Amino acid sequence: MNHRLLSALTLAALIAAPSASAYAQATSQLTGTVVDTSGASIPGATVEAKHKGTNAVLSTVTSSQGSFLIPALQPGTYTVTVTLQGFKTAVLNDVVANVGVPAVVRATLEVGGVSETVVVEAATAVVQTSATDVSSTINTKQITSLPLTSRNVLDFITFLPGVNTPGGNRDSTVNGLPQSAINITLDGINVQDNTLKSTDGFFTIVQPRLDAIEEVTVTGAAGGASGAGQGAVQSAFV
């Protein structure tokens, strides 16, 4: 059996002091609410998220307000199952969690037996309501189809909104910020060549194999509580 390992490359450009979230975007998270058919919140429901690629399962229980959060989620596509005694089991298929971009779902439980199942397709919310990030993602299918003349992972970043590339990717900037403000991490560890950081912010001392890429995401965020505006690019690899 082949075991596939997930890594994540994160590139963050910061205007002011780096915020904590800029260095912790190698994973995703699943958040949402569970309600009944009248729209009332349901506390105590069990929520399980199963990764379709690895079959790894994470679970949690809804709060008194019917909300839940599963943090540090491996990016990918999930099947989310919600159960509670006295209600039919709700199964939400194809919930997509991208790198650094929370997946948001809303599950509605119908009165019935747990052995009865209600399946919902494409359950991820279209509008992101849990964060101010504006993101775009190149998925696996697009990566295999898009033309790329090199084997450099960072070349995919130049396809995404907010990235200005006057020449090669080594000259790129994110959301108009200087290259000296860029930070690049792999699984939360800095892999940037900091010797040339001020003049060549897009150069890394570690370059993951192109064949290992699962997705590439650009995230632009408004200033948070720290007062630091930011633009970020993340790439996930398997």
Side-chain angles (χ1 to χ4, degrees), residues 150-201:
S150 72
R151 302 285 295 174
N152 189 344
V153 170
L154 292 179
D155 279 342
F156 278 115
I157 294 173
T158 62
F159 287 96
L160 297 169
V163 180
N164 180 37
T165 308
N169 68 21
R170 298 275 287 272
D171 301 316
S172 299
T173 57
V174 180
N175 293 342
L177 301 176
Q179 287 198 323
S180 59
I182 291 173
N183 184 71
I184 303 174
T185 62
L186 179 64
D187 283 342
I189 300 174
N190 184 287
V191 294
Q192 193 171 22
D193 186 345
N194 291 311
T195 303
L196 302 176
K197 184 177 177 69
S198 62
T199 58
D200 194 355

